[in-house]
Amino acid sequence: MDDRWVGVSMEDDGGMVVTIRLEGSGKPPDADATRLLRLVRRIAARQVDGGTKPAPTRDGHLLRVVPYARTVYCDGREVLLTRREFDLLRHLADHPRRVFTRNQLLDRVWGHPFTGARSVDVHVRRLRVKLGADLPVITTVRGVGYRLGSAMSVEVVDDPA
């Protein structure tokens, strides 16, 4: 018996139900199945008011921060961040146009001034690498500090529903 099948049905309200069954051998899914699952999640995340509507973006790039799951998505792909990297990005995303000095970030994100100010620089550099060096996610304000880049659309998803 073949355990693989796909079912598609259209609902009366214009919605679509897609059912996919892959054989369940107890092994972890392969790369294709994992890609398919990510694609389905990405499509489901775009559902707005019962219809598909792409998220608003600037220059075609979107950064989505999901605080309740401590997850970040950049252009639809999940970006794995350390606790401190996530906290730093979340703080900047919560204050999109505000410039923070290193000491302000140490106080508000780290919670204590015991770490050197250059630790902020290291975390910003790591965030830039993980999010994509060509994307203007975090901007350096020379002689002052850092802020969230204004050329990138950022969405903070507070509602887990």
Side-chain angles (χ1 to χ4, degrees):
M1 177 177 177
D2 188 22
D3 278 345
R4 292 172 283 177
W5 56 272
V6 177
V8 178
S9 65
M10 294 299 291
E11 300 292 324
D12 292 338
D13 63 354
M16 181 185 302
V17 176
V18 178
T19 305
I20 302 170
R21 177 161 172 74
L22 303 172
E23 59 184 278
S25 62
K27 295 186 286 187
D30 64 0
D32 290 335
T34 303
R35 261 195 313 267
L36 176 65
L37 185 58
R38 283 187 188 141
L39 179 61
V40 169
R41 285 182 180 155
R42 186 180 316 155
I43 291 169
R46 285 192 221 149
Q47 295 296 318
V48 176
D49 297 329
T52 38
K53 177 179 171 186
T57 63
R58 294 182 191 151
D59 298 331
H61 299 292
L62 173 69
L63 182 70
R64 178 175 284 146
V65 180
V66 187
Y68 67 90
R70 295 190 65 85
T71 308
V72 173
Y73 298 92
C74 186
D75 292 336
R77 70 176 170 85
E78 184 176 355
V79 181
L80 300 176
L81 300 177
T82 65
R83 180 180 68 104
R84 198 69 76 195
E85 290 166 347
F86 179 86
D87 292 344
L88 176 60
L89 185 61
R90 168 74 194 273
H91 185 73
L92 293 172
D94 285 343
H95 307 89
R97 291 184 177 87
R98 184 158 178 205
V99 179
F100 292 96
T101 65
R102 290 175 183 90
N103 287 332
Q104 286 174 325
L105 290 171
L106 281 173
D107 183 50
R108 294 178 181 161
V109 176
W110 275 254
H112 55 78
F114 303 115
T115 306
R118 292 297 176 189
S119 181
V120 175
D121 298 343
V122 171
H123 282 80
V124 167
R125 180 173 38 86
R126 288 180 183 162
L127 269 172
R128 286 175 173 159
V129 168
K130 288 182 178 183
L131 296 171
D134 57 331
L135 298 178
V137 178
I138 299 175
T139 305
T140 302
V141 179
R142 195 174 183 117
V144 181
Y146 299 103
R147 74 170 170 221
L148 199 64
S150 59
M152 181 133 186
S153 293
V154 178
E155 178 182 48
V156 178
V157 182
D158 286 323
D159 185 18

